[in-house]
Amino acid sequence: MRILKGIFHFYIHSSFHVALAVVAFLFLRMQEWQLNPDSNLLIFTFLASISGYNFVKYAGVAKLYHYRLTKQLKAIQLFSALVFIAMLYYLFQLQQESLYLLLGLALLNFIYAFPIFKNGKNLRNLSGFKVFVIALVWSSTVVLLPFFEFGIQTDELIYFQFFQQFLFVVALMIPFEIRDFRFDDNSLLTLPQVLGVWETKLVGVLFLVFSLLIAIFIEEINFIFTIIFSMLLGVSIILSKKNQGRYYAAFWVEAIPICALVMNLIFGS
């Protein structure tokens, strides 16, 4: 049991779980656009998500509010280094057009982690920015990257799809924002700090509603699954609390896009 617990902790703390969530969103988008799954793109996105998250968490600048990873930190650092090397290989398997977008996202990730502003702050520490920066990176990876990689001619529809994904990811981050309420510095001005916990839950639900309305407007193929898992996320947001279980957000909420993909693959065809 102790071994299984250690594996599970590593799975969560090494960002393996969150990387699967990002890939699940990407796969669902590719399925929505009837694109053949591109293994290079999916593997790169998985590896880049691990590298990006672990860079932010363990670079020595970002603060670890919740977990003491002393016993596993060296293993995670070694794992992250190997993942980064593998990511570089798959990076150069992508189209040149994709590299420009990825360069911009890498720069954004760097600014998010390191204090480059005069007041010694980074993007994560700027008031009100944290959740929206995360949503921007996720949405760019899930919606924009496939367009660059497959050479799809962009039209006005992509802006609606991007905004829909952005709203859904912000809603997905609400349980994390509520969890962090006790730990975040007051200067961050996160949604729970500014609005209050219940008001933040309402904002998250409203974001989901707007996301569903956009899905109706663009006639999304996976609309039924979008409804089901939006409802699941909505319930998760409502049940979120400051003293939530250790893995309520980090595992269960983050698993929603993974479950959406699995269910879609089983019942969607």
Side-chain angles (χ1 to χ4, degrees):
M1 183 61 67
R2 182 178 299 179
I3 295 176
L4 292 177
K5 187 176 180 179
I7 293 174
F8 178 75
H9 287 176
F10 185 86
Y11 171 76
I12 297 295
H13 298 315
S14 66
S15 302
F16 203 102
H17 189 58
V18 66
L20 286 180
V22 178
V23 170
F25 273 133
L26 175 60
F27 196 102
L28 286 169
R29 280 297 175 184
M30 293 171 65
Q31 188 180 58
E32 173 73 22
W33 298 326
Q34 298 181 338
L35 299 173
N36 292 325
D38 184 283
S39 59
N40 287 330
L41 180 59
L42 292 169
I43 294 174
F44 168 80
T45 300
F46 174 73
L47 298 174
S49 298
I50 292 177
S51 296
Y53 267 90
N54 287 352
F55 174 75
V56 170
K57 290 193 292 185
Y58 307 120
V61 177
K63 296 179 181 178
L64 291 173
Y65 293 112
H66 306 291
Y67 309 115
R68 298 286 182 177
L69 298 179
T70 305
K71 295 181 179 180
Q72 291 187 335
L73 184 55
K74 290 184 178 180
I76 291 175
Q77 289 175 332
L78 176 60
F79 173 71
S80 300
L82 295 175
V83 165
F84 181 76
I85 294 172
M87 183 201 73
L88 291 179
Y89 169 79
Y90 283 99
L91 172 65
F92 293 104
Q93 308 306 311
L94 303 181
Q95 300 296 323
Q96 184 175 354
E97 290 76 9
S98 300
L99 301 183
Y100 299 130
L101 174 63
L102 293 171
L103 179 61
L105 294 179
L107 179 61
L108 186 61
N109 194 61
F110 180 84
I111 298 173
Y112 184 84
F114 280 92
I116 65 169
F117 300 104
K118 292 182 179 180
N119 56 5
K121 291 186 176 182
N122 51 35
L123 274 182
R124 187 188 190 281
N125 300 129
L126 290 181
S127 301
F129 270 75
K130 183 177 71 171
V131 66
F132 300 107
V133 172
I134 294 173
L136 176 62
V137 173
W138 278 48
S139 302
S140 298
T141 302
V142 171
V143 178
L144 300 183
L145 185 56
F147 269 77
F148 282 93
E149 183 63 20
F150 287 91
I152 301 173
Q153 186 174 1
T154 59
D155 53 31
E156 65 276 2
L157 188 61
I158 189 177
Y159 301 110
F160 289 103
Q161 292 169 326
F162 181 88
F163 190 49
Q164 181 205 9
Q165 188 72 48
F166 182 87
L167 292 174
F168 194 93
V169 174
V170 171
L172 188 70
M173 294 295 107
I174 295 299
F176 293 87
E177 291 286 278
I178 294 174
R179 179 199 66 182
D180 293 347
F181 184 48
R182 296 182 299 149
F183 305 95
D184 283 333
D185 189 276
N186 291 333
S187 64
L188 289 178
L189 297 180
T190 62
L191 290 175
Q193 291 173 342
V194 174
L195 302 176
V197 172
W198 276 105
E199 291 79 2
T200 299
K201 292 181 181 181
L202 177 60
V203 168
V205 173
L206 287 176
F207 276 23
L208 281 176
V209 171
F210 286 130
S211 177
L212 282 173
L213 290 176
I214 295 174
I216 295 174
F217 175 76
I218 63 178
E219 299 180 345
E220 188 175 274
I221 296 175
N222 297 321
F223 180 65
I224 299 299
F225 291 98
T226 301
I227 292 178
I228 294 172
F229 288 98
S230 292
M231 292 175 62
L232 180 59
L233 178 55
V235 172
S236 300
I237 291 172
I238 293 172
L239 295 179
S240 298
K241 52 187 179 181
K242 291 182 288 186
N243 297 313
Q244 62 187 248
R246 188 177 185 183
Y247 293 113
Y248 178 81
F251 179 75
W252 295 109
V253 175
E254 206 100 73
I256 290 175
I258 301 173
C259 293
L261 174 60
V262 172
M263 297 299 290
N264 192 278
L265 290 175
I266 295 175
F267 300 107
S269 58

